[in-house]
Amino acid sequence: YKIIAHEIDAPSYIACAPMHFYIKHQDNVGKWWCYETTRYNYCDERYIIETNHVSPQAIASGLYTKPLTDKETLCQMLYDLCYFYEKRTGFYSNAFVRKCYTLGLRYFPISTLRILELSDLKYQLDKDLWQRGRRDKYDFTDFPDLQARYLQFQEMRAEIEALGFYQYSSKEIKDKLDKIKELSERNEIQ
């Protein structure tokens, strides 16, 4: 859709929301609309806020629904690559993942790539604690280097939360899936 829009000189952009990509267009009065190609419908940011657990803060920060440049779109693909890499291999922390998010963050600093960086930092911290014989994650006695990394992790998490990122809990995901199943059984969705 984006390629065709580009070919006919119709300005369009890729925009993201949790587990969604949209084609973003601006109408002739200046209002932005998101076209969801999998459902063949247009929606505005209110709809995205209501259905995708996106906060107005996440939209204002540019984390979600921002019209992406081509370079930012490629960086977002690095996030997707790492997501599918983890699903395929089970690895969410290694040199390949670090290379992907480091490259992406260089060009797209306010993006979900920050989540990969945070997860990697947490994994490395937990691993180092375990290797040093600490089973309590918060026991940094005699390890000031780990204390500093833990503080870095806390600061990074606070920054990401300030952008408006929200991670679904397991219960919320289960509730959403149950609701979809219920609607599907009642033939309200296809």
Side-chain angles (χ1 to χ4, degrees):
Y1 187 98
K2 170 116 170 61
I3 292 168
I4 292 169
H6 177 75
E7 289 297 317
I8 62 171
D9 291 324
S12 65
Y13 304 88
I14 300 291
C16 320
M19 299 173 34
H20 284 80
F21 282 102
Y22 297 94
I23 303 294
K24 198 157 187 177
H25 294 281
Q26 198 169 27
D27 66 20
N28 47 351
V29 294
K31 181 172 174 146
W32 285 97
W33 292 91
C34 295
Y35 179 65
E36 188 173 8
T37 58
T38 57
R39 298 186 72 207
Y40 310 110
N41 68 342
Y42 280 91
C43 59
D44 60 9
E45 290 177 344
R46 279 189 329 247
Y47 174 83
I48 293 171
I49 288 168
E50 293 169 6
T51 60
N52 293 311
H53 211 304
V54 172
S55 68
Q57 181 182 359
I59 292 173
S61 73
L63 186 62
Y64 294 125
T65 76
K66 172 188 173 198
L68 301 180
T69 66
D70 290 342
K71 195 175 282 189
E72 290 168 336
T73 300
L74 287 173
C75 292
Q76 183 62 39
M77 296 299 107
L78 289 171
Y79 175 85
D80 291 344
L81 174 65
C82 288
Y83 174 81
F84 288 107
Y85 176 78
E86 177 186 350
K87 294 294 177 205
R88 179 77 174 188
T89 66
F91 295 112
Y92 64 91
S93 174
N94 63 21
F96 174 74
V97 173
R98 278 188 287 288
K99 190 173 186 177
C100 287
Y101 74 68
T102 300
L103 176 64
L105 288 171
R106 184 179 320 149
Y107 300 102
F108 191 17
I110 298 180
S111 70
T112 52
L113 290 162
R114 305 266 323 261
I115 306 308
L116 296 177
E117 181 183 33
L118 183 68
S119 296
D120 183 44
L121 180 62
K122 174 100 171 60
Y123 174 81
Q124 295 301 322
L125 180 62
D126 289 348
K127 183 179 81 169
D128 288 350
L129 278 166
W130 185 265
Q131 287 175 345
R132 294 183 193 190
R134 297 289 190 214
R135 302 305 182 245
D136 178 4
K137 292 186 212 181
Y138 305 107
D139 182 4
F140 298 105
T141 310
D142 302 324
F143 299 114
D145 61 317
L146 296 182
Q147 174 75 33
R149 285 174 45 205
Y150 179 73
L151 293 175
Q152 178 189 9
F153 167 78
Q154 293 288 49
E155 288 171 16
M156 188 182 296
R157 187 172 76 184
E159 289 170 8
I160 291 169
E161 288 173 0
L163 292 174
F165 177 77
Y166 177 82
Q167 188 164 2
Y168 283 104
S169 69
S170 297
K171 181 183 178 337
E172 289 170 316
I173 291 171
K174 182 184 179 315
D175 290 347
K176 274 191 168 288
L177 292 174
D178 288 347
K179 183 69 173 176
I180 290 169
K181 182 179 177 187
E182 175 190 325
L183 292 172
S184 140
E185 288 170 355
R186 292 188 340 216
N187 294 322
E188 292 185 17
I189 63 172
Q190 298 177 4

